[in-house]
Amino acid sequence: TDIVQQSNMSGRHLTSHTTRREALSLYREILRTCKAFHWCDEAGIPWNQRLKTEARKEFEQARHETDPLVIARMLVTGRDCVQQVQMKFNAADQAAMDRIGRDASRR
């Protein structure tokens, strides 16, 4: 039974280690994405600072979650949200570059 317990413990450790690595990867991706937001909100606070603060707050709130299904759902949802923001930002950036190119060719 000791071998079974050790096997279960190492499996749990691997899962928690993998989940932690995925969460850190997602958090770093969020921070990298935040760097693209240079403008300020109505109060004059840069959006990148606000987004970083909110991301940190959400990760801290979820820090002690132990249910693997809830953790997996949060990671999938977080990754999906970051990818959607990145795609929208890239599309808006490309549209701006296209507009600049059209305006430059008119001159």
Side-chain angles (χ1 to χ4, degrees), residues 21-56:
R21 196 171 62 224
E22 289 176 27
L24 286 172
S25 173
L26 174 60
Y27 185 69
R28 289 181 186 122
E29 185 68 22
I30 290 169
L31 294 181
R32 281 191 293 273
T33 302
C34 288
K35 289 180 183 179
F37 293 84
H38 300 289
W39 54 92
C40 295
D41 66 2
E42 302 81 26
I45 300 170
W47 272 104
N48 57 7
Q49 286 181 359
R50 283 190 62 184
L51 294 170
K52 286 178 187 178
T53 302
E54 288 300 314
R56 180 69 183 185

mmCIF file of all heavy atoms in Angstrom, residues 21-56:
data_model
loop_
_atom_site.group_PDB
_atom_site.id
_atom_site.type_symbol
_atom_site.label_atom_id
_atom_site.label_comp_id
_atom_site.label_asym_id
_atom_site.label_seq_id
_atom_site.Cartn_x
_atom_site.Cartn_y
_atom_site.Cartn_z
ATOM 1 N N ARG A 21 2.424 25.423 -13.477
ATOM 2 C CA ARG A 21 3.193 25.889 -14.641
ATOM 3 C C ARG A 21 2.268 26.517 -15.682
ATOM 4 O O ARG A 21 2.593 27.558 -16.261
ATOM 5 C CB ARG A 21 3.984 24.717 -15.217
ATOM 6 C CG ARG A 21 5.064 25.151 -16.149
ATOM 7 C CD ARG A 21 5.976 24.026 -16.561
ATOM 8 N NE ARG A 21 5.212 23.003 -17.275
ATOM 9 C CZ ARG A 21 5.338 21.704 -17.059
ATOM 10 N NH1 ARG A 21 6.189 21.249 -16.182
ATOM 11 N NH2 ARG A 21 4.619 20.849 -17.747
ATOM 12 N N GLU A 22 1.115 25.897 -15.915
ATOM 13 C CA GLU A 22 0.152 26.456 -16.866
ATOM 14 C C GLU A 22 -0.378 27.801 -16.389
ATOM 15 O O GLU A 22 -0.534 28.736 -17.180
ATOM 16 C CB GLU A 22 -1.011 25.491 -17.067
ATOM 17 C CG GLU A 22 -0.660 24.252 -17.847
ATOM 18 C CD GLU A 22 -1.823 23.276 -17.931
ATOM 19 O OE1 GLU A 22 -2.983 23.725 -17.856
ATOM 20 O OE2 GLU A 22 -1.569 22.075 -18.057
ATOM 21 N N ALA A 23 -0.657 27.907 -15.091
ATOM 22 C CA ALA A 23 -1.159 29.162 -14.537
ATOM 23 C C ALA A 23 -0.108 30.261 -14.661
ATOM 24 O O ALA A 23 -0.434 31.397 -15.044
ATOM 25 C CB ALA A 23 -1.574 28.969 -13.082
ATOM 26 N N LEU A 24 1.143 29.944 -14.358
ATOM 27 C CA LEU A 24 2.211 30.939 -14.496
ATOM 28 C C LEU A 24 2.402 31.346 -15.948
ATOM 29 O O LEU A 24 2.618 32.526 -16.252
ATOM 30 C CB LEU A 24 3.521 30.391 -13.927
ATOM 31 C CG LEU A 24 3.596 30.329 -12.409
ATOM 32 C CD1 LEU A 24 4.848 29.588 -11.958
ATOM 33 C CD2 LEU A 24 3.551 31.717 -11.809
ATOM 34 N N SER A 25 2.295 30.386 -16.851
ATOM 35 C CA SER A 25 2.409 30.683 -18.273
ATOM 36 C C SER A 25 1.291 31.631 -18.716
ATOM 37 O O SER A 25 1.537 32.602 -19.443
ATOM 38 C CB SER A 25 2.357 29.385 -19.072
ATOM 39 O OG SER A 25 2.295 29.648 -20.447
ATOM 40 N N LEU A 26 0.081 31.350 -18.265
ATOM 41 C CA LEU A 26 -1.054 32.217 -18.598
ATOM 42 C C LEU A 26 -0.848 33.607 -18.017
ATOM 43 O O LEU A 26 -1.060 34.615 -18.702
ATOM 44 C CB LEU A 26 -2.355 31.606 -18.079
ATOM 45 C CG LEU A 26 -3.610 32.467 -18.215
ATOM 46 C CD1 LEU A 26 -3.884 32.808 -19.674
ATOM 47 C CD2 LEU A 26 -4.808 31.744 -17.603
ATOM 48 N N TYR A 27 -0.412 33.683 -16.767
ATOM 49 C CA TYR A 27 -0.194 34.979 -16.115
ATOM 50 C C TYR A 27 0.864 35.790 -16.879
ATOM 51 O O TYR A 27 0.673 36.979 -17.139
ATOM 52 C CB TYR A 27 0.236 34.762 -14.664
ATOM 53 C CG TYR A 27 0.379 36.037 -13.883
ATOM 54 C CD1 TYR A 27 -0.742 36.799 -13.552
ATOM 55 C CD2 TYR A 27 1.619 36.494 -13.480
ATOM 56 C CE1 TYR A 27 -0.617 37.979 -12.844
ATOM 57 C CE2 TYR A 27 1.755 37.662 -12.766
ATOM 58 C CZ TYR A 27 0.632 38.405 -12.451
ATOM 59 O OH TYR A 27 0.765 39.570 -11.750
ATOM 60 N N ARG A 28 1.945 35.148 -17.261
ATOM 61 C CA ARG A 28 2.991 35.842 -18.032
ATOM 62 C C ARG A 28 2.474 36.306 -19.388
ATOM 63 O O ARG A 28 2.813 37.400 -19.854
ATOM 64 C CB ARG A 28 4.206 34.942 -18.195
ATOM 65 C CG ARG A 28 4.963 34.738 -16.915
ATOM 66 C CD ARG A 28 6.180 33.857 -17.139
ATOM 67 N NE ARG A 28 6.817 33.567 -15.881
ATOM 68 C CZ ARG A 28 7.029 32.337 -15.411
ATOM 69 N NH1 ARG A 28 6.686 31.284 -16.124
ATOM 70 N NH2 ARG A 28 7.603 32.158 -14.254
ATOM 71 N N GLU A 29 1.646 35.477 -20.015
ATOM 72 C CA GLU A 29 1.057 35.862 -21.306
ATOM 73 C C GLU A 29 0.150 37.080 -21.141
ATOM 74 O O GLU A 29 0.138 37.985 -21.977
ATOM 75 C CB GLU A 29 0.277 34.683 -21.901
ATOM 76 C CG GLU A 29 -0.265 34.940 -23.278
ATOM 77 C CD GLU A 29 0.817 35.064 -24.341
ATOM 78 O OE1 GLU A 29 1.941 34.553 -24.127
ATOM 79 O OE2 GLU A 29 0.552 35.679 -25.378
ATOM 80 N N ILE A 30 -0.599 37.116 -20.055
ATOM 81 C CA ILE A 30 -1.451 38.280 -19.768
ATOM 82 C C ILE A 30 -0.583 39.523 -19.589
ATOM 83 O O ILE A 30 -0.891 40.587 -20.143
ATOM 84 C CB ILE A 30 -2.323 38.020 -18.522
ATOM 85 C CG1 ILE A 30 -3.388 36.966 -18.838
ATOM 86 C CG2 ILE A 30 -2.976 39.312 -18.027
ATOM 87 C CD1 ILE A 30 -4.130 36.440 -17.627
ATOM 88 N N LEU A 31 0.500 39.400 -18.836
ATOM 89 C CA LEU A 31 1.380 40.556 -18.622
ATOM 90 C C LEU A 31 2.001 41.037 -19.932
ATOM 91 O O LEU A 31 2.102 42.245 -20.176
ATOM 92 C CB LEU A 31 2.479 40.216 -17.612
ATOM 93 C CG LEU A 31 2.009 39.945 -16.184
ATOM 94 C CD1 LEU A 31 3.209 39.638 -15.285
ATOM 95 C CD2 LEU A 31 1.204 41.092 -15.626
ATOM 96 N N ARG A 32 2.400 40.088 -20.793
ATOM 97 C CA ARG A 32 2.952 40.486 -22.099
ATOM 98 C C ARG A 32 1.886 41.193 -22.936
ATOM 99 O O ARG A 32 2.177 42.168 -23.632
ATOM 100 C CB ARG A 32 3.486 39.262 -22.840
ATOM 101 C CG ARG A 32 4.832 38.806 -22.365
ATOM 102 C CD ARG A 32 5.434 37.759 -23.300
ATOM 103 N NE ARG A 32 4.692 36.511 -23.303
ATOM 104 C CZ ARG A 32 4.885 35.497 -22.460
ATOM 105 N NH1 ARG A 32 5.800 35.589 -21.524
ATOM 106 N NH2 ARG A 32 4.170 34.401 -22.552
ATOM 107 N N THR A 33 0.668 40.701 -22.888
ATOM 108 C CA THR A 33 -0.420 41.299 -23.661
ATOM 109 C C THR A 33 -0.735 42.698 -23.140
ATOM 110 O O THR A 33 -1.027 43.608 -23.921
ATOM 111 C CB THR A 33 -1.670 40.404 -23.610
ATOM 112 O OG1 THR A 33 -1.325 39.113 -24.125
ATOM 113 C CG2 THR A 33 -2.805 40.981 -24.429
ATOM 114 N N CYS A 34 -0.652 42.886 -21.829
ATOM 115 C CA CYS A 34 -0.942 44.196 -21.228
ATOM 116 C C CYS A 34 -0.008 45.288 -21.735
ATOM 117 O O CYS A 34 -0.395 46.458 -21.803
ATOM 118 C CB CYS A 34 -0.838 44.119 -19.704
ATOM 119 S SG CYS A 34 -2.171 43.215 -18.911
ATOM 120 N N LYS A 35 1.210 44.905 -22.094
ATOM 121 C CA LYS A 35 2.189 45.896 -22.565
ATOM 122 C C LYS A 35 1.714 46.645 -23.809
ATOM 123 O O LYS A 35 2.161 47.753 -24.079
ATOM 124 C CB LYS A 35 3.524 45.220 -22.868
ATOM 125 C CG LYS A 35 4.255 44.756 -21.643
ATOM 126 C CD LYS A 35 5.555 44.090 -22.032
ATOM 127 C CE LYS A 35 6.277 43.556 -20.814
ATOM 128 N NZ LYS A 35 7.530 42.886 -21.178
ATOM 129 N N ALA A 36 0.807 46.052 -24.565
ATOM 130 C CA ALA A 36 0.342 46.672 -25.810
ATOM 131 C C ALA A 36 -0.633 47.822 -25.564
ATOM 132 O O ALA A 36 -0.874 48.626 -26.458
ATOM 133 C CB ALA A 36 -0.321 45.621 -26.698
ATOM 134 N N PHE A 37 -1.186 47.915 -24.359
ATOM 135 C CA PHE A 37 -2.194 48.936 -24.061
ATOM 136 C C PHE A 37 -1.516 50.153 -23.448
ATOM 137 O O PHE A 37 -1.302 50.223 -22.242
ATOM 138 C CB PHE A 37 -3.252 48.358 -23.104
ATOM 139 C CG PHE A 37 -4.080 47.289 -23.731
ATOM 140 C CD1 PHE A 37 -3.638 45.975 -23.776
ATOM 141 C CD2 PHE A 37 -5.304 47.596 -24.301
ATOM 142 C CE1 PHE A 37 -4.397 44.981 -24.372
ATOM 143 C CE2 PHE A 37 -6.074 46.609 -24.893
ATOM 144 C CZ PHE A 37 -5.623 45.302 -24.937
ATOM 145 N N HIS A 38 -1.205 51.143 -24.291
ATOM 146 C CA HIS A 38 -0.427 52.301 -23.857
ATOM 147 C C HIS A 38 -1.286 53.485 -23.425
ATOM 148 O O HIS A 38 -0.810 54.354 -22.723
ATOM 149 C CB HIS A 38 0.502 52.767 -24.994
ATOM 150 C CG HIS A 38 1.464 51.714 -25.417
ATOM 151 N ND1 HIS A 38 2.504 51.317 -24.637
ATOM 152 C CD2 HIS A 38 1.532 50.956 -26.542
ATOM 153 C CE1 HIS A 38 3.182 50.369 -25.245
ATOM 154 N NE2 HIS A 38 2.616 50.123 -26.406
ATOM 155 N N TRP A 39 -2.524 53.538 -23.860
ATOM 156 C CA TRP A 39 -3.335 54.712 -23.585
ATOM 157 C C TRP A 39 -3.897 54.671 -22.175
ATOM 158 O O TRP A 39 -3.859 53.667 -21.486
ATOM 159 C CB TRP A 39 -4.453 54.865 -24.622
ATOM 160 C CG TRP A 39 -5.303 53.643 -24.755
ATOM 161 C CD1 TRP A 39 -6.445 53.355 -24.101
ATOM 162 C CD2 TRP A 39 -5.051 52.521 -25.612
ATOM 163 N NE1 TRP A 39 -6.933 52.138 -24.480
ATOM 164 C CE2 TRP A 39 -6.096 51.593 -25.407
ATOM 165 C CE3 TRP A 39 -4.059 52.186 -26.526
ATOM 166 C CZ2 TRP A 39 -6.174 50.383 -26.080
ATOM 167 C CZ3 TRP A 39 -4.134 50.974 -27.186
ATOM 168 C CH2 TRP A 39 -5.183 50.102 -26.962
ATOM 169 N N CYS A 40 -4.470 55.804 -21.738
ATOM 170 C CA CYS A 40 -4.984 55.945 -20.375
ATOM 171 C C CYS A 40 -6.511 55.900 -20.363
ATOM 172 O O CYS A 40 -7.158 56.208 -21.369
ATOM 173 C CB CYS A 40 -4.540 57.269 -19.774
ATOM 174 S SG CYS A 40 -2.756 57.370 -19.560
ATOM 175 N N ASP A 41 -7.058 55.553 -19.214
ATOM 176 C CA ASP A 41 -8.515 55.566 -19.046
ATOM 177 C C ASP A 41 -8.969 56.988 -18.714
ATOM 178 O O ASP A 41 -8.180 57.933 -18.746
ATOM 179 C CB ASP A 41 -8.952 54.556 -17.983
ATOM 180 C CG ASP A 41 -8.463 54.909 -16.586
ATOM 181 O OD1 ASP A 41 -7.815 55.959 -16.407
ATOM 182 O OD2 ASP A 41 -8.730 54.122 -15.660
ATOM 183 N N GLU A 42 -10.255 57.136 -18.381
ATOM 184 C CA GLU A 42 -10.819 58.468 -18.102
ATOM 185 C C GLU A 42 -10.149 59.136 -16.909
ATOM 186 O O GLU A 42 -10.080 60.360 -16.829
ATOM 187 C CB GLU A 42 -12.334 58.367 -17.826
ATOM 188 C CG GLU A 42 -13.141 57.752 -18.934
ATOM 189 C CD GLU A 42 -13.089 56.222 -18.910
ATOM 190 O OE1 GLU A 42 -12.882 55.607 -17.846
ATOM 191 O OE2 GLU A 42 -13.237 55.638 -19.994
ATOM 192 N N ALA A 43 -9.648 58.341 -15.960
ATOM 193 C CA ALA A 43 -9.003 58.883 -14.761
ATOM 194 C C ALA A 43 -7.519 59.163 -14.981
ATOM 195 O O ALA A 43 -6.838 59.626 -14.067
ATOM 196 C CB ALA A 43 -9.180 57.907 -13.598
ATOM 197 N N GLY A 44 -7.015 58.877 -16.169
ATOM 198 C CA GLY A 44 -5.615 59.120 -16.474
ATOM 199 C C GLY A 44 -4.687 57.975 -16.087
ATOM 200 O O GLY A 44 -3.472 58.116 -16.135
ATOM 201 N N ILE A 45 -5.266 56.853 -15.694
ATOM 202 C CA ILE A 45 -4.461 55.682 -15.322
ATOM 203 C C ILE A 45 -4.197 54.860 -16.582
ATOM 204 O O ILE A 45 -5.129 54.532 -17.312
ATOM 205 C CB ILE A 45 -5.199 54.823 -14.276
ATOM 206 C CG1 ILE A 45 -5.473 55.649 -13.014
ATOM 207 C CG2 ILE A 45 -4.393 53.575 -13.934
ATOM 208 C CD1 ILE A 45 -6.398 54.976 -12.033
ATOM 209 N N PRO A 46 -2.932 54.525 -16.847
ATOM 210 C CA PRO A 46 -2.631 53.715 -18.039
ATOM 211 C C PRO A 46 -3.355 52.361 -17.979
ATOM 212 O O PRO A 46 -3.372 51.710 -16.936
ATOM 213 C CB PRO A 46 -1.115 53.520 -17.969
ATOM 214 C CG PRO A 46 -0.620 54.634 -17.111
ATOM 215 C CD PRO A 46 -1.714 54.920 -16.137
ATOM 216 N N TRP A 47 -3.937 51.976 -19.102
ATOM 217 C CA TRP A 47 -4.681 50.720 -19.156
ATOM 218 C C TRP A 47 -3.809 49.528 -18.833
ATOM 219 O O TRP A 47 -4.268 48.564 -18.210
ATOM 220 C CB TRP A 47 -5.340 50.538 -20.524
ATOM 221 C CG TRP A 47 -6.694 51.162 -20.573
ATOM 222 C CD1 TRP A 47 -7.031 52.336 -21.177
ATOM 223 C CD2 TRP A 47 -7.891 50.654 -19.987
ATOM 224 N NE1 TRP A 47 -8.359 52.592 -20.991
ATOM 225 C CE2 TRP A 47 -8.923 51.568 -20.267
ATOM 226 C CE3 TRP A 47 -8.195 49.513 -19.239
ATOM 227 C CZ2 TRP A 47 -10.228 51.379 -19.833
ATOM 228 C CZ3 TRP A 47 -9.495 49.332 -18.813
ATOM 229 C CH2 TRP A 47 -10.489 50.256 -19.107
ATOM 230 N N ASN A 48 -2.543 49.576 -19.238
ATOM 231 C CA ASN A 48 -1.692 48.418 -18.951
ATOM 232 C C ASN A 48 -1.534 48.201 -17.448
ATOM 233 O O ASN A 48 -1.522 47.067 -16.985
ATOM 234 C CB ASN A 48 -0.341 48.512 -19.656
ATOM 235 C CG ASN A 48 0.444 49.747 -19.323
ATOM 236 O OD1 ASN A 48 0.080 50.530 -18.463
ATOM 237 N ND2 ASN A 48 1.541 49.928 -20.024
ATOM 238 N N GLN A 49 -1.474 49.271 -16.666
ATOM 239 C CA GLN A 49 -1.391 49.136 -15.210
ATOM 240 C C GLN A 49 -2.696 48.590 -14.635
ATOM 241 O O GLN A 49 -2.679 47.726 -13.759
ATOM 242 C CB GLN A 49 -1.066 50.471 -14.562
ATOM 243 C CG GLN A 49 0.355 50.909 -14.749
ATOM 244 C CD GLN A 49 0.637 52.233 -14.074
ATOM 245 O OE1 GLN A 49 -0.234 52.845 -13.468
ATOM 246 N NE2 GLN A 49 1.878 52.681 -14.193
ATOM 247 N N ARG A 50 -3.814 49.113 -15.115
ATOM 248 C CA ARG A 50 -5.107 48.635 -14.621
ATOM 249 C C ARG A 50 -5.298 47.159 -14.927
ATOM 250 O O ARG A 50 -5.761 46.390 -14.081
ATOM 251 C CB ARG A 50 -6.254 49.418 -15.259
ATOM 252 C CG ARG A 50 -6.443 50.798 -14.670
ATOM 253 C CD ARG A 50 -7.700 51.438 -15.144
ATOM 254 N NE ARG A 50 -8.852 50.638 -14.707
ATOM 255 C CZ ARG A 50 -10.095 50.919 -15.044
ATOM 256 N NH1 ARG A 50 -10.346 51.951 -15.805
ATOM 257 N NH2 ARG A 50 -11.083 50.179 -14.621
ATOM 258 N N LEU A 51 -4.952 46.750 -16.153
ATOM 259 C CA LEU A 51 -5.115 45.354 -16.545
ATOM 260 C C LEU A 51 -4.201 44.435 -15.730
ATOM 261 O O LEU A 51 -4.628 43.347 -15.322
ATOM 262 C CB LEU A 51 -4.849 45.194 -18.038
ATOM 263 C CG LEU A 51 -5.868 45.882 -18.962
ATOM 264 C CD1 LEU A 51 -5.376 45.854 -20.397
ATOM 265 C CD2 LEU A 51 -7.223 45.235 -18.834
ATOM 266 N N LYS A 52 -2.974 44.863 -15.486
ATOM 267 C CA LYS A 52 -2.051 44.066 -14.670
ATOM 268 C C LYS A 52 -2.594 43.909 -13.245
ATOM 269 O O LYS A 52 -2.537 42.819 -12.672
ATOM 270 C CB LYS A 52 -0.674 44.726 -14.620
ATOM 271 C CG LYS A 52 0.109 44.600 -15.889
ATOM 272 C CD LYS A 52 1.425 45.333 -15.752
ATOM 273 C CE LYS A 52 2.157 45.381 -17.064
ATOM 274 N NZ LYS A 52 3.413 46.124 -16.978
ATOM 275 N N THR A 53 -3.110 44.996 -12.695
ATOM 276 C CA THR A 53 -3.661 44.952 -11.339
ATOM 277 C C THR A 53 -4.849 44.002 -11.260
ATOM 278 O O THR A 53 -4.959 43.202 -10.326
ATOM 279 C CB THR A 53 -4.086 46.367 -10.888
ATOM 280 O OG1 THR A 53 -2.939 47.228 -10.954
ATOM 281 C CG2 THR A 53 -4.635 46.367 -9.486
ATOM 282 N N GLU A 54 -5.738 44.079 -12.239
ATOM 283 C CA GLU A 54 -6.910 43.200 -12.256
ATOM 284 C C GLU A 54 -6.517 41.743 -12.436
ATOM 285 O O GLU A 54 -7.080 40.854 -11.797
ATOM 286 C CB GLU A 54 -7.888 43.623 -13.354
ATOM 287 C CG GLU A 54 -8.625 44.904 -13.055
ATOM 288 C CD GLU A 54 -9.463 44.816 -11.778
ATOM 289 O OE1 GLU A 54 -10.180 43.810 -11.587
ATOM 290 O OE2 GLU A 54 -9.380 45.752 -10.974
ATOM 291 N N ALA A 55 -5.539 41.485 -13.302
ATOM 292 C CA ALA A 55 -5.080 40.110 -13.514
ATOM 293 C C ALA A 55 -4.500 39.558 -12.216
ATOM 294 O O ALA A 55 -4.810 38.428 -11.818
ATOM 295 C CB ALA A 55 -4.040 40.059 -14.628
ATOM 296 N N ARG A 56 -3.689 40.354 -11.546
ATOM 297 C CA ARG A 56 -3.087 39.913 -10.284
ATOM 298 C C ARG A 56 -4.171 39.606 -9.247
ATOM 299 O O ARG A 56 -4.112 38.597 -8.543
ATOM 300 C CB ARG A 56 -2.143 40.996 -9.764
ATOM 301 C CG ARG A 56 -1.477 40.659 -8.472
ATOM 302 C CD ARG A 56 -0.501 39.556 -8.680
ATOM 303 N NE ARG A 56 0.105 39.182 -7.422
ATOM 304 C CZ ARG A 56 1.071 38.313 -7.318
ATOM 305 N NH1 ARG A 56 1.543 37.718 -8.384
ATOM 306 N NH2 ARG A 56 1.568 38.014 -6.163
#
